[in-house]
Amino acid sequence: MPRLTDPDPASFPAEVREFLTSLPPDPMVKMLSHSAGTVKPFVQLAKAQFTAMELPARSRELVILTVAEYTDSTFVAAQHSPMSQSAGVDERTRQLIRARQIDSHELSPSDRALLRFTVDVVQRPHISDEIFEQACKFLTERELVEVLQVIGYYWSFGRISTILDVEVTKVYGDEPILNTPTDSTSD
């Protein structure tokens, strides 16, 4: 059971109310709407991570699953397991992430570097030169920054789900439904 009550939509500014009604019902968005001033940019950032990054979808999903595992976020893991499958992450790789066997030789060198980088970023404020250099062998500078953005977003998402006990009520089978209205201030 969530630790916070549902917010009162009548208390939201009209723009936020309109934005939220354009989205499918979702317990996480409902929880995020307690912060009416940040819910829209938070959801729009999620959309950007699915539409505006050069980081391949498979890499993005590997990062998200790893963050979910290392933040103990059942919500994020449940949401992204089917999405990761659609993005090309096989079941064995998902099992290795869940078992925290990120150094397994069953993983490709690039996957091991990406997962090790992700784990270290989640666990510490600084990472070693060795882990950074290994990640740089497989990621462009832009992709490296995008990985950091995905890690930060899903760390936050994971913590919201674990601290506030957000229940999983809908698991998306492919990409999340983000039919957000566009406006001239986005992009």
Side-chain angles (χ1 to χ4, degrees):
M1 173 168 225
R3 291 175 121 177
L4 299 179
T5 59
D6 289 348
D8 178 11
S11 68
F12 302 151
E15 175 189 355
V16 173
R17 222 177 13 259
E18 181 181 319
F19 175 76
L20 293 173
T21 59
S22 73
L23 302 172
D26 183 271
M28 181 60 81
V29 172
K30 188 182 294 183
M31 196 61 64
L32 291 168
S33 67
H34 276 286
S35 176
T38 63
V39 65
K40 184 176 179 181
F42 197 84
V43 171
Q44 288 173 324
L45 180 55
K47 181 179 181 181
Q49 291 184 348
F50 283 84
T51 62
M53 289 188 163
E54 284 186 7
L55 184 69
R58 182 179 181 282
S59 296
R60 179 195 67 225
E61 292 302 322
L62 287 172
V63 169
I64 294 169
L65 291 177
T66 304
V67 172
E69 176 59 34
Y70 285 82
T71 60
D72 294 322
S73 177
T74 305
F75 186 96
V76 173
Q79 294 288 328
H80 283 271
S81 186
M83 284 187 238
S84 70
Q85 183 177 5
S86 295
V89 179
D90 62 86
E91 179 57 30
R92 182 62 184 148
T93 301
R94 287 193 301 278
Q95 288 172 349
L96 291 168
I97 292 170
R98 285 191 302 270
R100 298 185 178 199
Q101 296 177 351
I102 60 168
D103 293 318
S104 170
H105 288 290
E106 292 180 67
L107 298 168
S108 69
S110 61
D111 285 355
R112 283 195 309 269
L114 178 61
L115 298 179
R116 170 52 54 209
F117 180 82
T118 300
V119 168
D120 277 20
V121 170
V122 168
Q123 294 182 330
R124 358 184 164 315
H126 302 281
I127 63 170
S128 70
D129 290 341
E130 177 186 345
I131 292 194
F132 184 79
E133 290 165 11
Q134 194 65 26
C136 287
K137 288 181 184 178
F138 302 102
L139 298 167
T140 66
E141 290 179 354
R142 177 178 173 163
E143 290 170 334
L144 191 67
V145 170
E146 290 175 349
V147 166
L148 289 166
Q149 291 174 338
V150 171
I151 292 168
Y153 184 87
Y154 282 93
W155 182 91
S156 176
F157 207 91
R159 281 297 163 257
I160 291 167
S161 73
T162 60
I163 302 300
L164 301 180
D165 292 330
V166 179
E167 297 176 281
V168 177
T169 59
K170 174 156 175 93
V171 176
Y172 299 104
D174 200 351
E175 296 292 317
I177 302 168
L178 292 171
N179 297 326
T180 57
T182 57
D183 61 48
S184 59
T185 62
S186 61
D187 292 348

